[in-house]
Amino acid sequence: MGQTPSSRLPSSSSSGGDDAGVDYTAALPDDILAVVFSSLPHSVRNSCSLVCRRWLAVDSRSRRRLSLHARATLLAAAPSLFHRFPAVSTLSLTSHRRTSADSIGDDALAAVALGCPNLTRIKLRGLHSITASGMAALGAACPKIRKLSVSSCAFGSKGVSAIINGYANLEELSIKRLRGLSEPITISTSSSLRSICLKELYNGQCFAPLLTSSSNLRVLKLFRCSGDWDPLLEEIAVKISGIIEIHLEKLQVSDRGLAALASCSYLEVLRLIKTPECTDAGLTALAGSCRLLRKIHIDGWKTNRIGDLGLIAIANKCLNLQELVLIGVNPTAVSLKLIATNCSNLERLALCGSETFGDAEISCIASKCSALRKLCIKGCPVSDHGMESLAIGCPKLVKVKVKKCRGVTTEFAEWLRASRGSVIVNFDTIRGNEVQDLSVSESGILENGGDEVVLVDHDRVVELPSGSNGRPSLWKARMSVVVGRHFIASAFRGWSLGSICPRNT
């Protein structure tokens, strides 16, 4: 790979080798060469297409993905560009803030659609000039679109209505920061959507007709959308019982909404992130009916409204639990023992920013969780003494991650590595007055890479003093500390307190 044509290579006499002038890629069939190209990064693949005419032709015929700057000049370049890449099925059109005034309009979007009749996935970012007419034309020219992602566009409710009514095969829809949501979405045909993701919408209630009429809906994700969502969740739960994944983050939802979701008996994945009105009562009601839950992520935002009672209900009802992530939640050995005993399939466990997860709790996990494979502990009051139980517990353990736990030393981490050579130990410690970041991100995935289930956030964390009993006065501290920038940018527009995150000292 990467060789120049044989005519440009030095002769065997000058290089001293018998095969210095041989181009081994010439013997590769075009389809095999295309498979090799598909494994390369975009920058490397672009360079390879300039090596020779054959490589250029193979790359052009086999290119499936394109990412383009959506400037007005794309209108003139679209015919020749997509003539070169006829097999494109995934397309990203992005206009940055600095060039948003020069972004493409409906005419250019129609030209792109005509050049890519095989599109199945498309992303639109920052295209302020696109209207409902342009979105309708895109759907008419590309009937195979199954996945659509829209961010920072301005085609409003009419554009969404054109998408729902014109994209017959659409299965996944993601909308973020959409402008012009002044009226409810109009639905004239049955929706084929299986996944809906709404982020940072000022008037997200406009999507109520869509959410309640998507009978095939399986995944629902709501991030920082303003308004009271309890009534809508009740309606969704009544009309759509086949949902298997729900993600609620920084949303105005209470126990009323959680209790309504108990009707979704097929629910397998629940992510409840920074919803301070949700308590043990709502979680207990949901767990009582949703017994197929496999993954549960809870960020209690250190409000202490979700604790042992809710976790005990999960332990008693959700026996198929495989992954549990608790952030800003304070479980004790009482609930953790039940989870470890009843949930025999628990493979991944993460506890972050818990003030009650200490040596007794880690010993309980080590002795009871026989199926545990990955364990993450971050910012918890555990010590070397309690962590020693991992040397003989959890026989299937393959990875341990310990971050910012003041009681765990580097010497213990080295000892654990030596004691269990087959276990990967990822360890770091707090240096001086280092500020801990123990919150969950909007996406719910790792930033540091790897397979750990710990979650992190970009929000600024403020250090607060502890009370006499070792626990900070969390609610009073939260009322007195406000990170101004995040408060102003909050999508709740008056409801949310913004990013107020006390730190466990």
Side-chain angles (χ1 to χ4, degrees):
M1 285 294 298
Q3 299 163 320
T4 56
S6 57
S7 59
R8 298 184 182 181
L9 292 173
S11 62
S12 59
S13 59
S14 61
S15 61
D18 295 335
D19 54 356
V22 178
D23 179 8
Y24 292 102
T25 63
L28 288 178
D30 287 353
D31 54 347
I32 300 299
L33 191 59
V35 171
V36 174
F37 283 165
S38 65
S39 304
L40 300 176
H42 289 296
S43 58
V44 177
R45 182 166 183 168
N46 292 339
S47 300
C48 288
S49 67
L50 303 177
V51 169
C52 62
R53 292 182 179 179
R54 181 195 174 212
W55 285 22
L56 176 64
V58 171
D59 172 66
S60 299
R61 292 194 302 269
S62 61
R63 181 87 66 153
R64 298 288 187 271
R65 299 172 178 265
L66 278 183
S67 181
L68 305 175
H69 293 295
R71 297 184 178 180
T73 53
L74 185 61
L75 176 60
S80 58
L81 177 65
F82 294 109
H83 177 73
R84 176 184 171 185
F85 301 108
V88 170
S89 60
T90 301
L91 179 64
S92 176
L93 299 176
T94 303
S95 178
H96 300 289
R97 292 183 179 179
R98 295 180 180 179
T99 60
S100 59
D102 190 37
S103 64
I104 64 173
D106 291 344
D107 294 341
L109 185 62
V112 169
L114 291 174
C116 301
N118 296 319
L119 272 185
T120 58
R121 298 185 178 186
I122 185 168
K123 297 180 181 181
L124 307 178
R125 298 286 185 272
L127 306 185
H128 298 164
S129 301
I130 299 297
T131 68
S133 299
M135 297 306 298
L138 175 64
C142 303
K144 299 180 182 179
I145 291 180
R146 294 185 293 104
K147 184 175 181 178
L148 173 64
S149 178
V150 175
S151 177
S152 300
C153 294
F155 48 74
S157 301
K158 293 182 179 179
V160 178
S161 298
I163 292 171
I164 302 304
N165 298 320
Y167 295 54
N169 296 311
L170 189 64
E171 296 180 358
E172 298 182 34
L173 177 63
S174 176
I175 296 181
K176 181 178 180 180
R177 290 195 297 265
L178 181 65
R179 302 178 184 178
L181 292 174
S182 57
E183 57 189 21
I185 308 301
T186 303
I187 307 296
S188 61
T189 60
S190 59
S191 173
S192 60
L193 285 172
R194 299 177 61 86
S195 174
I196 297 178
C197 178
L198 306 179
K199 292 185 179 181
E200 301 178 18
L201 299 179
Y202 178 71
N203 194 7
Q205 308 296 323
C206 291
F207 286 84
L210 172 63
L211 294 174
T212 56
S213 63
S214 300
S215 57
N216 296 320
L217 190 64
R218 296 295 178 267
V219 179
L220 176 61
K221 300 180 181 180
L222 304 174
F223 299 79
R224 299 187 299 278
C225 296
S226 63
D228 183 6
W229 285 86
D230 284 342
L232 186 52
L233 288 177
E234 289 178 334
E235 189 175 358
I236 292 173
V238 170
K239 295 183 178 180
I240 307 171
S241 59
I243 297 178
I244 62 174
E245 179 176 350
I246 292 179
H247 188 142
L248 307 177
E249 180 167 334
K250 286 188 178 180
L251 210 66
Q252 187 177 350
V253 60
S254 67
D255 290 342
R256 174 186 169 188
L258 287 185
L261 293 177
S263 300
C264 302
S265 57
Y266 297 100
L267 191 65
E268 297 181 8
V269 180
L270 173 67
R271 289 181 171 87
L272 201 61
I273 311 300
K274 296 179 181 177
T275 53
E277 294 186 35
C278 295
T279 69
D280 284 327
L283 189 59
T284 300
L286 186 144
S289 299
C290 302
R291 303 193 176 193
L292 299 180
L293 280 168
R294 297 183 296 104
K295 297 181 180 180
I296 300 178
H297 291 210
I298 300 176
D299 185 344
W301 218 0
K302 294 192 175 182
T303 59
N304 287 328
R305 306 194 75 183
I306 294 180
D308 275 344
L309 293 179
L311 296 177
I312 289 173
I314 291 174
N316 291 330
K317 302 297 182 180
C318 306
L319 305 184
N320 295 319
L321 192 64
Q322 297 177 0
E323 178 175 310
L324 178 63
V325 177
L326 301 176
I327 302 172
V329 179
N330 293 321
T332 66
V334 175
S335 58
L336 291 176
K337 182 178 180 180
L338 280 175
I339 291 175
T341 303
N342 297 344
C343 305
S344 57
N345 295 324
L346 186 65
E347 296 181 350
R348 298 175 293 278
L349 176 64
L351 293 111
C352 308
S354 172
E355 301 168 355
T356 58
F357 188 81
D359 291 345
E361 286 71 26
I362 187 62
S363 299
C364 174
I365 294 298
S367 61
K368 299 291 185 180
C369 293
S370 58
L372 194 67
R373 295 175 57 83
K374 297 177 182 179
L375 173 65
C376 176
I377 305 172
K378 183 175 180 181
C380 296
V382 296
S383 68
D384 290 351
H385 178 71
M387 295 290 288
E388 287 178 358
S389 58
L390 292 178
I392 57 176
C394 302
K396 296 183 179 180
L397 196 64
V398 297
K399 195 165 191 177
V400 177
K401 185 171 185 178
V402 182
K403 295 178 68 69
K404 301 180 181 179
C405 296
R406 296 181 182 273
V408 183
T409 63
T410 305
E411 291 74 13
F412 168 78
E414 295 299 332
W415 176 82
L416 183 60
R417 290 189 183 101
S419 300
R420 300 194 64 169
S422 61
V423 177
I424 300 173
V425 180
N426 191 336
F427 172 80
D428 72 353
T429 185
I430 297 178
R431 298 177 178 86
N433 294 323
E434 180 181 349
V435 177
Q436 298 184 59
D437 183 3
L438 304 174
S439 298
V440 65
S441 66
E442 67 175 39
S443 58
I445 58 175
L446 284 172
E447 285 193 336
N448 296 328
D451 295 324
E452 302 86 0
V453 290
V454 64
L455 309 175
V456 295
D457 191 17
H458 300 292
D459 293 346
R460 187 178 299 276
V461 181
V462 181
E463 183 173 2
L464 300 174
S466 296
S468 58
N469 62 350
R471 299 184 184 181
S473 180
L474 298 173
W475 185 252
K476 292 181 180 179
R478 184 173 289 105
M479 293 298 99
S480 61
V481 183
V482 177
V483 182
R485 181 178 62 182
H486 294 283
F487 176 74
I488 295 173
S490 175
F492 289 115
R493 304 295 176 88
W495 175 80
S496 173
L497 292 177
S499 296
I500 310 170
C501 186
R503 172 183 177 266
N504 175 29
T505 57

